[in-house]
Amino acid sequence: MKLLVCGGAGFIGSNFVRQRLREHGDEITVLDKLTYAGRRENLHDVLDEIRFVHGAIEDPAAVAHCATAAEAIVNFAAETHVDRSITGPEAFIVTNMQGTHVLLQTARDSGLRYVQVSTDEVYGSIESGSFTEASPLAPSSPYSATKTGADLLVSSYFHTYGLPTVICRGSNNYGPYQYPEKLIPLMVLNALAGDHLPVYGDGRQVRNWLFVEDFARGIGHALEHGQPGEVYNCGGPDECENIDVVRRIVELTGAEESQIEYVTDRPGHDRRYSLSCEKLGRLGWRACTSFDEGLERTVNWYRENIWWWEPIRTGEYLDYYKRHYGRALKG
Ligand code: NAD
Ligand code: DAU
């Protein structure tokens, strides 16, 4: 298949590109703005097998230029960190909403299929049970509100213009190439460096962890087998309280429990996410990687790929870290 992958230099996008090349032999153009989270290093082993274009999804000319050879657009491009959306929501509105609109308009003009990569956060928090695709949308943060707005735009292009769209909503991903502002890579790198492990609030919030290769395969499955106009939830096999995730990382890295430090909670913090994934299951997808197995693989990957993360833990990241946690990193 000929794919335009937007945001393909980020965490999930780069895993998707690698998987589609290896398992499907797709012809891929990546369009990426290379924000702090997007890096050519994420595609280091496949750069000569793809066409890479440095540009923004909110730029209609850049998108039209990339779309010429494609059959479908798969959109990963987004501002993705909830904490950053609380301190600076503007970039989220531009990329997540305006950018998605430019992609939809281009897909319509060029007659392309369209896959929107979305999130369980559009449903908001749930105390017990799981959200289905028919659950009401109730986002809580500027991040999830802009992702919800994007999903609604996508649906409107199906209903109004008949654009063949699919939305795939994932739960919390983890695995290789994830920027260390997110819980798991942040804790792994701080644990290895002997630094503090900052747990928000009481640490009892629950996330439904999905290994990135399973999500990438779920998105590919929705692209190939999804019905136009439909939404598919794609959740992980295991849920876990944050404090238990951190304790497992302490064990796997040989760090000390005393490194764990409870810090001020995130404003408007969602307590629990949970997805029912029967609909995508009926199309033949299931998550294959347990949290225990995936976490061990992830810790090993960060141990073995210092070249990848060492350059990140400087400059912008250190400034962000100090502003956000009110203290500098040790190592
Ligand atoms: P990420 O932050 O690692 O990567 C985002 C990528 O988008 C980067 O390469 C960045 O440079 C690029 N980008 C940002 N703004 C852009 C713009 N205006 N134009 C072009 N490129 C731009 O994110 P991720 O964790 O890989 O998430 C990818 C997608 O999956 C997002 O849409 C996110 O909402 C969704 N999602 C993420 C998770 C998760 O747990 N990480 C779970 C479910 C869904
Ligand atoms: O659920 C899917 C979403 O998962 C994606 O749509 C988002 O793009 C992605 O960032 C992620 O959002 P979360 O807010 O759940 O992920 P994060 O890694 O930021 O935090 C996971 C949990 O850990 C959350 O309850 C907050 C907590 N946390 C996070 C950090 C960074 C801490 O306790 N300490 C921390 O330092």
Side-chain angles (χ1 to χ4, degrees):
M1 207 178 281
K2 294 177 182 165
L3 299 179
L4 169 55
V5 180
C6 301
F11 162 50
I12 305 172
S14 61
N15 277 283
F16 176 81
V17 166
R18 189 169 289 109
Q19 190 178 90
R20 294 298 303 188
L21 288 170
R22 300 284 177 263
E23 296 178 9
H24 301 267
D26 289 338
E27 214 172 282
I28 294 179
T29 298
V30 167
L31 172 65
D32 200 295
K33 194 174 179 176
L34 298 179
T35 65
Y36 73 94
R39 301 173 71 216
R40 281 196 171 83
E41 288 87 335
N42 293 353
L43 294 165
H44 65 104
D45 52 339
V46 293
L47 268 177
D48 56 0
E49 297 170 55
I50 61 171
R51 173 179 168 225
F52 183 85
V53 179
H54 181 195
I57 58 168
E58 64 272 21
D59 175 353
V63 176
H65 166 71
C66 293
T68 44
E71 294 164 87
I73 296 178
V74 185
N75 181 30
F76 293 87
E79 288 291 337
T80 62
H81 193 38
V82 173
D83 293 329
R84 290 188 194 244
S85 83
I86 294 167
T87 46
E90 295 79 9
F92 289 72
I93 291 160
V94 173
T95 292
N96 299 2
M97 296 192 60
Q98 203 177 314
T100 298
H101 182 247
V102 170
L103 295 179
L104 288 166
Q105 195 53 43
T106 308
R108 188 178 161 222
D109 292 343
S110 310
L112 310 182
R113 284 158 64 194
Y114 185 87
V115 177
Q116 177 73 355
V117 180
S118 184
T119 168
D120 57 3
E121 297 199 16
V122 300
Y123 300 114
S125 190
I126 189 165
E127 265 182 38
S128 58
S130 300
F131 290 119
T132 72
E133 291 80 356
S135 299
L137 303 180
S140 337
S141 69
Y143 162 69
S144 53
T146 56
K147 291 297 288 184
T148 306
D151 282 11
L152 293 175
L153 276 172
V154 173
S155 298
S156 79
Y157 266 67
F158 169 74
H159 288 290
T160 309
Y161 306 114
L163 185 74
T165 62
V166 162
I167 297 173
C168 193
R169 294 187 179 137
S171 63
N172 277 67
N173 275 232
Y174 67 102
Y177 302 100
Q178 186 170 30
Y179 194 81
E181 66 190 350
K182 307 282 165 61
L183 179 76
I184 288 182
L186 184 150
M187 294 296 173
V188 171
L189 297 188
N190 280 17
L192 291 173
D195 216 323
H196 77 142
L197 305 174
V199 173
Y200 296 166
D202 64 2
R204 307 286 308 273
Q205 302 83 5
V206 173
R207 296 294 183 265
N208 179 198
W209 293 101
L210 175 63
F211 192 61
V212 64
E213 290 171 12
D214 282 332
F215 189 36
R217 214 160 271 122
I219 294 162
H221 215 77
L223 164 71
E224 286 175 9
H225 306 290
Q227 285 298 311
E230 293 297 319
V231 176
Y232 296 93
N233 287 346
C234 192
D238 301 303
E239 59 175 57
C240 197
E241 289 186 354
N242 291 339
I243 186 63
D244 292 332
V245 174
V246 176
R247 288 201 180 110
R248 284 192 210 189
I249 291 171
V250 165
E251 267 171 41
L252 287 166
T253 54
E256 302 290 335
E257 285 255 350
S258 58
Q259 288 171 238
I260 297 175
E261 192 180 293
Y262 289 90
V263 300
T264 310
D265 206 353
R266 171 186 283 174
H269 198 168
D270 283 336
R271 196 72 182 161
R272 176 174 176 266
Y273 300 133
S274 179
L275 289 180
S276 156
C277 307
E278 283 167 27
K279 193 170 166 186
L280 194 56
R282 286 197 292 277
L283 296 185
W285 174 87
R286 71 181 177 84
C288 299
T289 314
S290 70
F291 188 52
D292 279 344
E293 180 197 338
L295 190 62
E296 195 171 341
R297 279 172 66 183
T298 302
V299 169
N300 289 341
W301 188 86
Y302 282 92
R303 272 191 198 282
E304 287 159 13
N305 288 279
I306 298 170
W307 72 270
W308 182 87
W309 56 257
E310 208 167 40
I312 295 178
R313 282 169 63 102
T314 56
E316 191 275 348
Y317 182 77
L318 291 187
D319 293 343
Y320 161 78
Y321 200 93
K322 199 163 178 200
R323 263 196 324 274
H324 185 66
Y325 294 99
R327 57 178 283 181
L329 270 182
K330 254 203 251 161

